[in-house]
Amino acid sequence: MTAPPGPGRPPLAGGATGAQSLRPLLDTVLTALTTGAKERGGPLPPGGPDTVTARVTAALGDVLPDHGTGPHEALTTLVRTLAAGAADPAEPLCAAHLHCPPLAVATAADLAATALNPSLDSWDQAPAASAIEALLTRTLAAEFYDTPHADALVTTGGTEANQLALLLARERHGPHLTVLHGANAHHSIPRAAWLLGLPPATSLPTPTGTLDPATLAEALATTPGPTLVTATAGTTDAGLIDPLPHIADLCDRHGADLHIDAAYGGPLALSPTHRHKLAGLGRAHSLTVDLHKLGWQPVAAGLLVVPDTALLTPLAHQADYLNATDDTEAGLPDLLGRSLRTTRRPDALKIAATLRALGRDGLVDLIDHTCALAHQLARLLDAHPRFELHAPPTISTVLFRPTHATDEDIATLRRTLLHQGRAVLGRTRADGRLWLKATLLNPHTTARDLDTLITLLEGSTRR
């Protein structure tokens, strides 16, 4: 039994009495979330950075007071302030980034993980959590690779997964490995090469937004020594997918390894409607997949997926206080080779809870519906005389711009909407021009919400 707290000591979240201590605090948090959202009144707070900072400063006052205010006042003040000043991806007009609204079931599961606080660096800190993670990673890996021993590591997101992929390739081929990537690749690819002490990564031009096989073929033909090609399945600017089968063919022909960053597009593999877009995905030596994008998980929920667990061998590490050899030989699972991190949250729990709650059909419905919303928005914009559509969406990102607007007009329009707190849209360059970007990841967005966005933009462009 857990001992009761001493006089004046705050209660803990775990133990036999932890839930009793949490329950009234959760009521306070939920009330503060509701109040803050009403105060915000839209997708983000109006006024811009200075106004938000001033409000936060005034609300918090002394961040470290001499005497505490008590848990209910502290939670009311801080959670209400956070919610009132949030860019809330659950608001349909908050659609700038690959920043999804998390599902309630995943968020609730994450609370349990936080309360129990397992750390996945040794079995004796996370007995059940380590077993859940092992079952989950093998199950998800099998969705991407039709191989007997496919495996996956849970990461903090695409950046960590890409870094791990380059690290594993370096360990296979040595420090003179050349990394080739399209200019459309995520910035973490060249950064990972720098962090790992590899030669500077070579960026290949992608004037059409995707990696041209002819450009890659020329680069492979003139690149000496071992090479890793990184392709993208879901670019951050437009959600485009590189021609994966052609790229895989070229890698086979030239003896190059292939890593595919499918952080955004990877979950399309679950959908019978959309998985054809990822043909060739299973030919990669490694994949990056994020479920805090098109998977509706709270941050963080990334994966590095490989076709065979043996490919993860270079990550093996030994620290006697965590995975002593005799403990491992006696059957205690060795978890240190499952990440470069030591202390590590059980992020697998929220993913597993989501999969169990929704099932394959429920998750596929969210994916298909979200992609359909993007196509609906694209059709509305394309038919509107005041807007120009860049191209039909590949996943759920829509690029558009007001007709006859200059790049300066577009940048100013976006910032004006942000300062007014009325809409959160992204920006990107394509074809030498600046475009507004709507990244639809909210499966609760309705046709009326899309009409509201267009009406808002139309009014703003008239002004």
Side-chain angles (χ1 to χ4, degrees):
M1 294 292 292
T2 304
R9 295 182 189 137
L12 301 176
T17 60
Q20 297 173 359
S21 300
L22 277 172
R23 194 176 304 278
L25 297 178
L26 291 181
D27 286 339
T28 298
V29 166
L30 296 175
T31 299
L33 283 171
T34 302
T35 303
K38 289 179 179 177
E39 290 177 358
R40 186 182 67 243
L44 81 167
D50 291 342
T51 300
V52 173
T53 299
R55 289 174 183 160
V56 170
T57 301
L60 267 62
D62 189 352
V63 176
L64 181 60
D66 289 335
H67 303 287
T69 62
H72 290 281
E73 190 284 332
L75 288 169
T76 296
T77 298
L78 282 163
V79 174
R80 179 178 176 176
T81 301
L82 179 68
D88 187 352
E91 290 281 348
L93 300 191
C94 187
H97 302 287
L98 289 166
H99 176 204
C100 75
L103 294 168
V105 63
T107 304
D110 219 21
L111 169 64
T114 300
L116 293 168
N117 212 29
S119 180
L120 281 115
D121 48 316
S122 66
W123 182 87
D124 58 352
Q125 298 176 78
S130 60
I132 289 172
E133 181 180 90
L135 290 168
L136 176 83
T137 50
R138 288 197 294 267
T139 297
L140 288 177
E143 294 295 323
F144 299 98
Y145 287 109
D146 185 16
T147 53
H149 304 293
D151 203 352
L153 302 180
V154 178
T155 71
T156 53
T159 294
E160 182 187 350
N162 286 337
Q163 289 173 353
L164 283 171
L166 266 65
L167 171 63
L168 293 173
R170 187 194 70 179
E171 295 306 290
R172 289 194 298 270
H173 298 291
H176 301 296
L177 175 73
T178 297
V179 177
L180 300 178
H181 66 86
N184 62 345
H186 193 261
H187 62 83
S188 61
I189 296 293
R191 195 179 193 199
W194 167 69
L195 283 169
L196 293 167
L198 295 171
T202 300
S203 177
L204 305 178
T206 54
T208 64
T210 57
L211 185 55
D212 180 12
T215 302
L216 177 60
E218 182 179 354
L220 285 169
T222 57
T223 300
T227 305
L228 174 70
V229 173
T230 66
T232 306
T235 59
T236 55
D237 56 357
L240 301 179
I241 297 173
D242 286 336
L244 304 179
H246 297 297
I247 291 172
D249 288 343
L250 286 169
C251 289
D252 289 346
R253 192 176 309 153
H254 291 272
D257 282 8
L258 174 61
H259 169 67
I260 298 176
D261 179 358
Y264 180 11
L268 296 179
L270 298 171
S271 167
T273 302
H274 295 284
R275 67 167 61 112
H276 69 277
K277 299 175 183 178
L278 299 180
L281 196 72
R283 297 173 64 183
H285 288 78
S286 54
L287 303 172
T288 289
V289 179
D290 270 3
L291 294 174
H292 55 236
K293 292 181 172 63
L294 205 62
W296 298 281
Q297 297 299 296
V299 173
L303 297 170
L304 176 72
V305 192
V306 294
D308 195 300
T309 193
L311 290 169
L312 303 175
T313 301
L315 299 179
H317 185 66
Q318 205 273 327
D320 201 53
Y321 76 105
L322 294 173
N323 60 344
T325 302
D326 59 320
D327 277 349
T328 302
E329 291 174 349
L332 294 185
D334 179 357
L335 304 181
L336 280 188
R338 305 294 298 177
S339 177
L340 291 182
R341 293 172 284 150
T342 303
T343 302
R344 190 161 62 83
R345 295 187 79 250
D347 288 316
L349 176 65
K350 61 196 176 193
I351 304 171
T354 299
L355 299 184
R356 184 176 180 87
L358 273 64
R360 182 186 297 275
D361 56 353
L363 190 57
V364 168
D365 175 69
L366 293 181
I367 293 169
D368 290 352
H369 179 67
T370 303
C371 292
L373 283 169
H375 281 276
Q376 185 175 358
L377 176 61
R379 288 192 296 270
L380 291 172
L381 290 165
D382 195 34
H384 200 296
R386 296 186 63 84
F387 296 100
E388 177 185 354
L389 178 70
H390 181 263
T394 301
I395 306 177
S396 68
T397 300
V398 182
L399 302 188
F400 65 98
R401 52 184 285 140
T403 53
H404 310 302
T406 66
D407 287 358
E408 183 178 354
D409 292 336
I410 291 171
T412 300
L413 169 62
R414 175 180 174 272
R415 287 192 294 268
T416 298
L417 293 172
L418 290 176
H419 277 263
Q420 293 173 345
R422 301 175 77 188
V424 190
L425 295 172
R427 54 180 285 175
T428 192
R429 287 201 168 272
D431 302 332
R433 295 189 292 169
L434 188 65
W435 298 79
L436 292 172
K437 176 175 69 169
T439 307
L440 299 186
L441 288 176
N442 185 344
H444 285 241
T445 298
T446 65
R448 179 176 293 181
D449 294 323
L450 300 181
D451 289 337
T452 299
L453 174 61
I454 290 177
T455 301
L456 172 63
L457 289 167
E458 184 181 16
S460 299
T461 56
R462 287 186 190 279
R463 287 195 295 272

